[in-house]
Amino acid sequence: MKMRSGSIRTVVFLFLCLPFSSTALQLTQDFKESAPGRNLKQVEEDVHEVHCSRERSRAAWNIIDEYLMPFVEKEQYLIPPKCRLHPDNDLYRDQEQHKFHVDVDEWRCGYCKKKFYEEKYLDKHFENRHYNLLNVSTGRCMADICGALHCDLMLEPMIRKTKCNPAAAARNRHLCESLANSCFPVNEGPSASRLHEFFLRQFCDAHSCTGKRKPLSKGRRKRTSMTYVTISIFILMLLPLFYGFVYLYQRGIKRGAQELKRISQGGRKKKPY
C-alpha cells in the first residue's frame, strides 16, 4: 500500500514538473536562436560606425583647398583619382557640400533643409540621419593624411611648441613624399613635375627637427578682403548720388546765369514816355 501511494506521488510530481520543463526548454531554444540575431544586429551597427575624424578631415581638405589647389589650377593639372588628395577620396565631401552657413547662428542641412544653431549640431545630424549617404571604403579618410599636411597648424594655430619627435617627423615626411609621388608623378609631364617639386617644398620639407623650413611657406589662395568689398560697394552706391548732385549744381548755376542775364538786359531798356 505504501509502495503504491509513493508511486502515485511520483507520477503526480512528474506531471506537475512537465510544463516547467517545457517552458525552460523553450526559453533555452529561444536564447540560442536569438543569439545569432543579436550578433548580426551588432555587426550591422558596427558597419555604420565610422572611425574617421570629421574635424581633422575638414582641416585636411581646407589646407588642400587653400595651400595646394590654387597652384594645381594655375598649372591646369588634373589630379588622378587614385591620389588621396582627390576630392572623391574624401569620405565627408558630399556631406560638407550639403552644409550651408546661412547666417551667423544658422546652419542648414542641404538634404532635409533642417536648421541648426551651430555647425557641430549639423555634423551630429549628418551622423545620425544621413550616415547612409557616406560611401565608406578603404583609404577615404582625409584625417589619415593630416600629419603630412600639418593639420595641427589649422586646428590649433596658437599651440605651444613642443619637443620634436624624430620618429614622428620621419613618418610624416615619408607619407608626404608618397603623396607627392602618387599625385604628381614626375614622368607625367612638366606640370606634374613642377607640382611635385612644389608639394615637397610646401609640405614635406618642414617634417624635420632642424627647424630650418617652415610649413606652408610657398603661398596660399588669395582671399578678397571683406573691408575692400564693403568699401567698393559703398563707393558704387555713392557715385550716382555724386553725379546727380554735380548735374543739379551745374544746372542751377546755368539757370541762375540766364536769369541774371535777363534781368540785366531788362534793366537797360528805357521805359517809353
Side-chain angles (χ1 to χ4, degrees), residues 96-233:
E96 290 294 314
Q97 289 176 340
H98 283 80
K99 181 187 292 183
F100 299 100
H101 194 186
V102 182
D103 207 342
V104 177
D105 56 351
E106 184 178 335
W107 293 79
R108 188 174 71 236
C109 172
Y111 297 115
C112 61
K113 312 304 179 185
K114 194 171 181 180
K115 298 178 181 179
F116 301 87
Y117 289 109
E118 294 184 39
E119 186 180 15
K120 63 181 180 180
Y121 297 125
L122 178 54
D123 290 340
K124 199 68 178 176
H125 169 75
F126 281 149
E127 293 174 7
N128 295 333
R129 299 295 182 183
H130 303 299
Y131 65 86
N132 58 311
L133 299 175
L134 292 177
N135 186 10
V136 184
S137 61
T138 306
R140 289 177 56 87
C141 182
M142 282 284 183
D144 292 342
I145 59 175
C146 248
L149 300 177
H150 307 278
C151 290
D152 290 334
L153 292 178
M154 181 164 288
L155 293 172
E156 302 177 64
M158 304 302 293
I159 190 171
R160 202 172 180 180
K161 191 173 181 179
T162 57
K163 188 177 180 180
C164 180
N165 185 338
R171 185 170 58 250
N172 287 330
R173 186 181 182 90
H174 176 73
L175 175 58
C176 186
E177 290 174 349
S178 68
L179 289 173
N181 294 333
S182 62
C183 299
F184 311 106
V186 292
N187 59 350
E188 290 293 326
S191 295
S193 182
R194 285 192 293 269
L195 288 170
H196 183 276
E197 184 68 18
F198 168 81
F199 193 87
L200 293 177
R201 304 290 85 78
Q202 179 82 313
F203 299 99
C204 305
D205 285 353
H207 290 299
S208 171
C209 291
T210 61
K212 292 181 179 180
R213 296 298 298 268
K214 292 183 178 180
L216 314 177
S217 59
K218 302 295 286 184
R220 61 191 296 180
R221 186 184 297 276
K222 293 181 179 180
R223 301 289 183 182
T224 304
S225 172
M226 287 304 298
T227 305
Y228 175 79
V229 173
T230 304
I231 293 175
S232 299
I233 294 174

Side-chain angles (χ1 to χ4, degrees), residues 3-55:
M3 273 293 272
R4 188 176 178 184
S5 59
S7 300
I8 292 172
R9 280 196 296 270
T10 303
V11 171
V12 171
F13 176 76
L14 292 173
F15 179 77
L16 292 173
C17 289
L18 183 61
F20 294 102
S21 301
S22 302
T23 304
L25 181 62
Q26 182 65 34
L27 289 172
T28 304
Q29 185 177 0
D30 290 344
F31 177 79
K32 289 180 178 179
E33 290 177 353
S34 62
R38 283 197 301 274
N39 292 337
L40 179 60
K41 185 178 180 181
Q42 184 65 39
V43 170
E44 289 177 351
E45 289 177 355
D46 291 341
V47 169
H48 296 310
E49 188 176 359
V50 179
H51 299 284
C52 180
S53 169
R54 183 185 292 270
E55 184 183 15

Side-chain angles (χ1 to χ4, degrees), residues 75-90:
E75 291 286 350
Q76 297 182 348
Y77 179 79
L78 296 177
I79 296 179
K82 66 178 181 179
C83 169
R84 296 180 68 179
L85 304 175
H86 194 281
D88 291 345
N89 292 324
D90 180 8

Side-chain angles (χ1 to χ4, degrees), residues 269-273:
K269 290 181 180 179
K270 294 181 179 181
K271 293 182 180 180
Y273 292 99

